Amino acid sequence: MSLAANVVGSAAALCSITSFAPQMIKIWKTRDASSVSLKTYSLTVTCFVLWTAYGVMTKAWPIVAANACALVMASGVLAMKWRFRDV
């Protein structure tokens, strides 16, 4: 694989993973997840599960690593949505 492809893939992975951090921090600090769409985050988590499974099936370990990390972050937001739903 070319260096350019690795750089683009790494940048994409970092963007995917870190894009969830601000929302996670905000929800954790305020204990308010009312602005989070349960349907959207359920779909997002499902997408990352499927991308991770695809990476495993095709032995594309960078895809697995990036999507597994993003899955953890998106799952964290989804878990806080459920946790703080009655607050």
Side-chain angles (χ1 to χ4, degrees):
M1 190 176 291
S2 74
L3 176 61
N6 284 329
V7 169
V8 169
S10 296
L14 287 172
C15 288
S16 293
I17 295 162
T18 58
S19 68
F20 296 101
Q23 192 156 33
M24 288 184 77
I25 293 165
K26 181 180 183 277
I27 293 168
W28 186 257
K29 284 182 178 179
T30 64
R31 302 287 198 254
D32 177 21
S34 60
S35 63
V36 173
S37 167
L38 182 61
K39 290 178 184 178
T40 299
Y41 266 87
S42 296
L43 180 60
T44 300
V45 167
T46 301
C47 290
F48 286 128
V49 166
L50 293 172
W51 273 114
T52 302
Y54 169 79
V56 169
M57 289 190 280
T58 61
K59 296 183 173 85
W61 304 117
I63 297 287
V64 172
N67 284 287
C69 290
L71 172 60
V72 168
M73 297 292 283
S75 295
V77 171
L78 188 59
M80 286 189 285
K81 173 66 176 177
W82 284 326
R83 168 74 175 90
F84 301 128
R85 69 184 174 273
D86 297 326
V87 176

